[in-house]
Amino acid sequence: MAYITIHDVYPLSKEQIAFYEENRFIKLKHVLNPEEIQHFGALISEEVERLNKESKPLEERDTYGKAFLQIFNLWTQNEAIKELVLSKRLASIAAGLMGCEKVRIYHDQALFKEAGGGITPWHADQYYWPIDTDKTVTAWIPLQATPLEMGPLEFSAKSHQLLFGRDLEIGDESEVQLKQKLRINNFEHVVEPFDVGEVSFHSGWVFHRAGANQTDQTRKVMTVIYMDAEAKLKNPENQNQINDWNTWCPGAKIGEVINSPLNPVVG
């Protein structure tokens, strides 16, 4: 079988783009082939093991700490992983879904939910980002088949329309408040297993969560956050956005395009 590779554009259909525009998330099959998943999964796992500084056992961590191990910007640490993060394949999907000519990297992030790891509470990613546009999207790339008991993403379809909760940091409070608010507003919750090579894309303001990992294996996921290549830095609205400014786009200026060396144009 001849696979399309990470160097090729993924052919999005009009129906897929329309689904994303309405729901602000989509799951796409065969984004990566099994050989690529195995190759990059091994590389990312090695880097996570090398760079992880978490030493507390699960039972001693708070809800956020139990949710996953986080390692950021692996593309700056490993040339082979950089090939995936800056690939035409992922960037073409991000640009196509958002309707952008070009996209930039905001940052990447490995999210490893350990065996027995807890829930990832309801949240919207863009609470953390000092970006002046809604044209942001995260590629969520499982590095193995991910059944429901392993804790795949759960999306609240169309919840980008909800203004409530945009000021909530991820944690116990966001889980309780957003669970109630999303139910009251009758947003459909979508949670499904992921096949090998299946990747989801979700916008910065769509609310999502993940269940606990009830298996004896680590749920390994790589993520890449993209933004419109013309996105500008906004005046930060909270301390987390100030931290993100200094960490992921150092030197960027408020009101100007975010074009630091850590935010290259891709695709």
Side-chain angles (χ1 to χ4, degrees), residues 6-26:
I6 61 170
H7 305 292
D8 302 312
V9 171
Y10 186 94
L12 286 170
S13 68
K14 291 181 180 179
E15 291 77 16
Q16 288 169 329
I17 293 171
F19 181 93
Y20 177 83
E21 288 178 346
E22 180 179 7
N23 296 284
R24 287 301 198 275
F25 81 91
I26 192 168

Side-chain angles (χ1 to χ4, degrees), residues 125-137:
D125 298 330
Q126 200 151 332
Y127 160 80
Y128 292 89
W129 304 341
I131 303 174
D132 77 340
T133 178
D134 289 348
K135 289 189 175 183
T136 59
V137 68

Side-chain angles (χ1 to χ4, degrees), residues 155-167:
F155 302 100
S156 181
K158 305 179 181 142
S159 60
H160 63 286
Q161 304 170 41
L162 183 67
L163 298 181
F164 176 89
R166 290 189 172 195
D167 59 346

Side-chain angles (χ1 to χ4, degrees), residues 227-239:
M227 56 187 170
D228 185 343
E230 300 304 313
K232 297 177 180 179
L233 185 78
K234 72 175 183 180
N235 193 19
E237 298 174 356
N238 56 57
Q239 186 60 49

Side-chain angles (χ1 to χ4, degrees), residues 1 3-4 9-13 16 26-34 36-37 89-90 93 97 140-142 145-146 192-201:
M1 178 179 180
Y3 291 117
I4 298 176
V9 171
Y10 186 94
L12 286 170
S13 68
Q16 288 169 329
I26 192 168
K27 293 174 66 197
L28 299 172
K29 293 186 181 294
H30 310 301
V31 173
L32 298 172
N33 66 54
E36 289 169 336
I37 290 291
R89 192 152 182 74
L90 295 176
I93 296 172
L97 293 175
W140 198 83
I141 309 162
T146 308
E192 300 169 340
F194 282 69
D195 295 331
V196 171
E198 188 170 14
V199 176
S200 66
F201 292 78

Side-chain angles (χ1 to χ4, degrees), residues 74-181:
L74 293 180
W75 76 271
T76 65
Q77 302 285 330
N78 184 295
E79 284 296 315
I81 295 174
K82 178 179 179 179
E83 183 183 15
L84 172 65
V85 174
L86 303 188
S87 69
K88 178 184 292 187
R89 192 152 182 74
L90 295 176
S92 69
I93 296 172
L97 293 175
M98 293 191 293
C100 302
E101 183 177 349
K102 295 285 185 179
V103 295
R104 292 182 189 272
I105 297 295
Y106 184 55
H107 66 76
D108 71 38
Q109 184 177 11
L111 298 173
F112 279 31
K113 190 183 289 286
E114 299 152 282
I119 67 164
T120 305
W122 282 110
H123 66 287
D125 298 330
Q126 200 151 332
Y127 160 80
Y128 292 89
W129 304 341
I131 303 174
D132 77 340
T133 178
D134 289 348
K135 289 189 175 183
T136 59
V137 68
T138 298
W140 198 83
I141 309 162
L143 302 175
Q144 71 288 299
T146 308
L148 293 178
E149 56 267 27
M150 195 174 265
L153 279 191
E154 176 177 353
F155 302 100
S156 181
K158 305 179 181 142
S159 60
H160 63 286
Q161 304 170 41
L162 183 67
L163 298 181
F164 176 89
R166 290 189 172 195
D167 59 346
L168 289 176
E169 187 172 3
I170 184 173
D172 294 329
E173 182 180 357
S174 70
E175 174 71 6
V176 172
Q177 292 198 32
L178 286 167
K179 182 178 181 179
Q180 180 181 20
K181 196 69 174 181

